[in-house]
Amino acid sequence: MGNPPELYYKILNISRDTSPKDIRAAYKTLVRQWHPDKHPPSSKNEAEARFKAITEAYEALLDQQENRAAFGARSNVVADGKRDRTAAAAAASGDGGGERATAMPSAAKSEKAAVPAATAARTAPSTPAREFKKPVLYSSTGRLGEVGGRRRAFAEFSSYVVRKAPALEQKVECTLEELCTGCKKEVKYSRDVVDKNGRISKKEETKTIRVKPGWKKGMKVTFDGMGDERPGCLPGDAVFTIAEKKHKVFKRKGNDLVLKAEVPLVSALTGWSFSFRLIGGEKMSCSFRDEVIFPGYEKVVAGEGMPVAGGENGDRGDLRVKFEVVFPKNLTDEQRSGLASILRSCP
């Protein structure tokens, strides 16, 4: 058929070690999916091309299995004939003429008996080749020829599948709150479409993107075939990339949330309390009575970060509160003296 076997496996979306039974199952599934009668006129050409190529790939693998079975049978015939000829030669070199006369017909009989075995090997129910059923190729004009039809089918398939219009890409901005709780985003976009005369026009589309809790920026949502169209090409995809709006309070790092809090020096040394709202809206308070807040101090509140996308049992990251100690810009001589006397006695 003129195409590499790897391509046929790729068309059927199977691996090289797939059993004949599974190959047949994959073929039936794809044929049902891409039968031209199940597609509207706008995608019927693509469906017909794929349908033909899927059938060609299946036939190619069928022929491959039959060839392997026939080769195995021929190998057995050659091996059996070689053994018989060896035995005949040994008998011919012996002392008795009777043995030489009976050994030669025995070899001939073995070879004749082996020939039907080759045919049986190609048709026996246990042979992998019997797992296949010969498909029939059809086009919009009827049945196609065995060889020429397959070649035309694959050529048509290649013209549709190999070339694809570039993807149409667009960003979808989400707040941290939306990425935390999940939401639905209605996105509108304009794409190029080709009419039956090959003219390109604009068409407005609206798609619904279901943002799941824990999604991160850079996440892509793809709508197959809903991008720009170009003459002679498959429609491109519409690809929407999740973007994260800047939050006025929190900053996201992976599944953790970071909150920066400024604390005056006197409060950092003598005790402090403050309250804030979590990303979900709940109010939370933190108090520091018996600990000193020093520059770089960080308090971790477990399980109050972002949800883990795809996680189980409501897994969440942590909230990390980072404190920035605010030092006074000016001190009087009396303040310096007082601080010096107090701090000198600290360990």
Side-chain angles (χ1 to χ4, degrees):
M1 296 184 183
N3 296 295
E6 292 77 8
L7 191 55
Y8 296 128
Y9 286 104
K10 185 176 181 181
I11 291 171
L12 295 180
N13 195 26
I14 56 177
S15 60
R16 292 186 64 89
D17 57 353
T18 303
S19 68
K21 182 178 180 181
D22 291 337
I23 293 175
R24 186 176 70 249
Y27 166 72
K28 288 183 176 180
T29 300
L30 291 172
V31 163
R32 285 194 296 267
Q33 178 183 352
W34 289 105
H35 197 285
D37 293 344
K38 296 184 178 181
H39 288 259
S42 59
S43 61
K44 192 165 185 176
N45 289 339
E46 175 194 352
E48 187 174 90
R50 285 179 179 267
F51 179 79
K52 295 172 188 174
I54 290 163
T55 305
E56 181 194 341
Y58 179 73
E59 279 208 317
L61 297 180
L62 165 63
D63 293 341
Q64 187 181 74
Q65 291 289 336
E66 289 180 341
N67 290 339
R68 286 178 180 173
F71 178 79
R74 286 195 299 269
S75 298
N76 291 335
V77 171
V78 172
D80 291 342
K82 185 176 181 181
R83 284 194 297 270
D84 289 340
R85 286 193 296 272
T86 302
S93 62
D95 296 332
E99 292 185 12
R100 183 165 58 249
T102 56
M104 293 299 290
S106 175
K109 184 177 179 181
S110 298
E111 291 188 14
K112 289 180 179 179
V115 173
T119 304
R122 290 195 297 270
T123 58
S126 60
T127 303
R130 293 292 295 175
E131 293 285 351
F132 295 93
K133 292 183 180 180
K134 202 77 169 180
V136 178
L137 289 172
Y138 289 91
S139 71
S140 57
T141 58
R143 183 165 176 161
L144 297 175
E146 280 293 316
V147 177
R150 287 196 295 264
R151 290 176 178 171
R152 288 197 301 274
F154 199 84
E156 291 179 28
F157 173 81
S158 300
S159 67
Y160 280 97
V161 175
V162 173
R163 293 180 297 171
K164 190 171 186 177
L168 188 155
E169 299 188 10
Q170 183 172 315
K171 288 185 178 181
V172 179
E173 290 193 336
C174 300
T175 64
L176 270 181
E177 287 81 2
E178 290 174 331
L179 295 174
C180 178
T181 59
C183 65
K184 290 183 180 180
K185 304 286 285 189
E186 296 287 337
V187 292
K188 297 181 179 180
Y189 67 100
S190 177
R191 70 186 186 107
D192 295 338
V193 294
V194 180
D195 62 19
K196 61 182 180 180
N197 297 319
R199 292 190 296 264
I200 297 177
S201 59
K202 291 290 185 180
K203 183 179 180 181
E204 299 298 323
E205 299 279 3
T206 301
K207 293 295 178 185
T208 301
I209 297 177
R210 291 174 172 80
V211 179
K212 296 183 179 180
W215 275 15
K216 301 176 182 178
K217 63 180 180 180
M219 179 76 183
K220 294 183 183 295
V221 179
T222 301
F223 293 92
D224 293 335
M226 292 304 298
D228 290 332
E229 296 180 359
R230 294 289 183 269
C233 297
L234 282 175
D237 299 333
V239 181
F240 298 95
T241 304
I242 300 297
E244 182 182 295
K245 291 182 179 179
K246 186 176 181 180
H247 200 276
K248 61 181 181 180
V249 177
F250 298 102
K251 185 175 181 180
R252 184 177 187 177
K253 287 190 175 181
N255 293 319
D256 293 344
L257 289 174
V258 177
L259 170 65
K260 290 185 177 181
E262 292 185 346
V263 51
L265 177 61
V266 61
S267 299
L269 296 174
T270 60
W272 188 56
S273 64
F274 79 109
S275 61
F276 59 92
R277 291 195 177 276
L278 298 170
I279 191 69
E282 304 89 347
K283 189 174 182 180
M284 184 173 185
S285 298
C286 290
S287 296
F288 303 90
R289 298 299 180 190
D290 301 325
E291 52 188 318
V292 174
I293 300 175
F294 52 84
Y297 184 90
E298 180 178 292
K299 183 176 180 63
V300 178
V301 183
E304 292 297 343
M306 295 291 290
V308 178
E312 299 178 355
N313 302 321
D315 294 338
R316 298 175 70 103
D318 299 331
L319 171 64
R320 313 178 79 86
V321 184
K322 292 187 175 182
F323 294 95
E324 294 183 356
V325 179
V326 181
F327 286 79
K329 296 181 179 179
N330 296 297
L331 292 174
T332 63
D333 292 340
E334 183 179 355
Q335 289 171 330
R336 287 193 180 88
S337 177
L339 286 172
S341 61
I342 293 173
L343 295 176
R344 284 194 187 97
S345 61
C346 294

